[in-house]
């Protein structure tokens, strides 16, 4: 039950972060400013925690490679691809593509032999995706329709593939000398340096002051993203790539609920059916893994 609680908490943090990003955007803060400033905020937050714990990230060749690769696969590369394709795709299609991340994670895990395919796991992942698909349809069907170029659709699939690769990488290559807080801290430091270099090269530092247009939203992004990163790393390294990927489904359920309450997004009772499917997918996976763990 503890891991389910942590999974739900991760989904809630991801959803709250997305809502805070939306609020920041509505306040006129550019996306790159949100990312850069929040990245620095997360690095500072984890540095304070490390000082309090007297436990800074361990440094060795192996851990440094792990920090950099995970930061690339889990943050820099997928965000770059998402930023590239977002102007060319309707939001509905982009969100559906990103929602395939658990399917990609299952496929990649099976491909490298980390996860054995079975009926229960496949059923759980597919059922969760169908629930999310139904949920996204319910929240987006009142908006304007859009067309998509197949080339940009294909490129967009790079986002869930990269997230899946990072999740499997964390689950299979976790450094024994570091805990989740230390890895999150190291990644935040690396990403903050990347954000600083990007700001200096492209002149983005001049507009970082625009983050003051909505300080509460930026603060919420920092807290939610920092907490979510730590939980994500902990769950992936302890319970495996497939399990933590279900947080993707849960986050979209929470995002729809927050959007309806805070932003007035329109949803109907169809979303309740989608919620049942998502919850059922987690239950099916839980029962399947529990049976596998029981001695025969």
């Amino acid at each position: 039950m503890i891991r389910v609680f942590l999974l739900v908490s991760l989904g809630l943090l991801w959803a709250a972060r997305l809502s805070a990003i939306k609020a920041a955007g509505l306040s006129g803060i550019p996306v790159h400013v949100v990312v850069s400033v929040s990245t620095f905020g997360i690095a500072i937050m984890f540095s304070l925690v490390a000082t309090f714990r007297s436990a800074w990230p361990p440094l060795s060749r192996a851990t440094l490679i792990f920090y950099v690769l995970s930061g690339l696969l889990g943050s820099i590369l997928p965000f770059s691809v998402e930023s590239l394709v977002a102007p060319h795709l309707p939001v509905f299609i982009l969100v559906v593509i990103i929602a395939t991340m658990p399917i990609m994670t299952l496929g990649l895990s099976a491909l490298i032999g980390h996860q054995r395919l079975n009926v229960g796991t496949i059923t759980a992942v597919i059922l969760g995706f169908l629930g999310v698909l139904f949920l996204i349809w319910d929240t987006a069907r009142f908006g304007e329709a859009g067309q998509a170029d197949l080339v940009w659709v294909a490129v967009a699939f790079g986002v869930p593939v990269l997230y899946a690769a990072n999740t499997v990488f964390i689950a299979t290559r976790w450094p024994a000398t570091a805990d989740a807080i230390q890895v999150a801290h190291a990644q935040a430091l690396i990403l903050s340096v990347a954000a600083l270099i990007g700001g200096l090269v492209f002149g983005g530092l001049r507009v970082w002051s625009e983050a003051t247009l909505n300080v509460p939203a930026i603060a919420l992004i920092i807290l939610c993203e920092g907490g979510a990163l730590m939980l994500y790393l902990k769950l992936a390294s302890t319970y495996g790539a497939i399990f933590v990927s279900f947080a993707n489904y849960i986050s979209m359920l929470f995002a729809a609920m927050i959007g309806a309450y805070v932003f007035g997004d329109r949803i109907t009772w169809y979303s309740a059916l989608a919620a049942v499917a998502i919850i059922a997918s987690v239950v099916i996976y839980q029962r399947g893994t529990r049976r596998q763990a029981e001695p025969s």
Side-chain angles (χ1 to χ4, degrees):
M1 289 301 295
I2 293 178
R3 70 174 186 171
V4 174
F5 173 77
L6 294 177
L7 184 73
V8 173
S9 298
L10 175 58
L12 178 58
L13 287 172
W14 273 345
R17 177 204 62 182
L18 289 174
S19 298
I21 291 174
K22 181 176 180 178
L26 292 174
S27 300
I29 306 176
V31 174
H32 69 278
V33 173
V34 172
V35 173
S36 300
V37 174
S38 60
T39 298
F40 266 93
I42 294 168
I44 293 172
M45 181 178 71
F46 278 118
S47 295
L48 293 174
V49 173
T51 301
F52 179 78
R53 297 172 68 221
S54 298
W56 288 70
L59 285 179
S60 66
R61 181 181 178 184
T63 57
L64 187 59
I65 291 175
F66 179 85
Y67 300 150
V68 172
L69 285 179
S70 183
L72 284 171
L73 291 172
S75 296
I76 296 176
L77 292 179
F79 176 75
S80 299
V81 175
E82 191 172 350
S83 300
L84 177 67
V85 302
H88 305 280
L89 293 176
V91 175
F92 172 83
I93 293 178
L94 182 58
V95 174
V96 169
I97 291 173
I98 295 176
T100 63
M101 178 266 193
I103 299 176
M104 302 295 182
T105 303
L106 176 61
L108 185 57
S109 296
L111 184 64
I112 67 172
H114 178 64
Q115 173 79 42
R116 294 181 61 185
L117 293 178
N118 57 72
V119 175
T121 300
I122 295 174
T123 300
V125 172
I126 297 300
L127 180 61
F129 176 72
L130 292 176
V132 167
L133 191 62
F134 204 42
L135 178 67
I136 296 172
W137 168 81
D138 189 33
T139 56
R141 63 196 175 101
F142 302 107
E144 296 182 0
Q147 296 181 345
D149 190 306
L150 290 180
V151 173
W152 289 113
V153 170
V155 174
F157 272 101
V159 177
V161 168
L162 286 166
Y163 282 138
N166 184 55
T167 305
V168 174
F169 175 69
I170 290 171
T172 56
R173 295 291 186 268
W174 186 265
T177 57
D179 60 25
I181 297 178
Q182 291 171 321
V183 173
H185 184 194
Q187 288 188 4
L189 290 173
I190 292 172
L191 292 175
S192 64
V193 172
L196 178 60
I197 293 174
L200 291 173
V201 172
F202 298 104
L205 293 178
R206 294 193 301 270
V207 295
W208 280 19
S209 60
E210 295 183 19
T212 58
L213 293 173
N214 195 334
V215 174
I218 296 295
L220 184 59
I221 293 170
I222 292 171
L223 291 175
C224 290
E225 179 64 19
L229 177 59
M230 183 183 63
L231 279 179
Y232 164 73
L233 292 169
K234 176 65 177 178
L235 287 169
S237 61
T238 305
Y239 301 111
I242 303 300
F243 179 75
V244 74
S245 71
F246 280 92
N248 181 282
Y249 296 154
I250 297 172
S251 68
M252 294 193 179
L253 178 58
F254 277 124
M257 295 168 60
I258 295 173
Y261 181 76
V262 177
F263 300 107
D265 295 344
R266 186 174 179 183
I267 59 176
T268 71
W269 64 272
Y270 289 116
S271 294
L273 297 177
V276 171
I278 294 171
I279 294 171
S281 70
V282 177
V283 171
I284 291 172
Y285 183 79
Q286 272 283 93
R287 290 184 175 179
T289 53
R290 190 178 300 140
R291 282 196 295 268
Q292 290 179 1
E294 291 176 353
S296 57

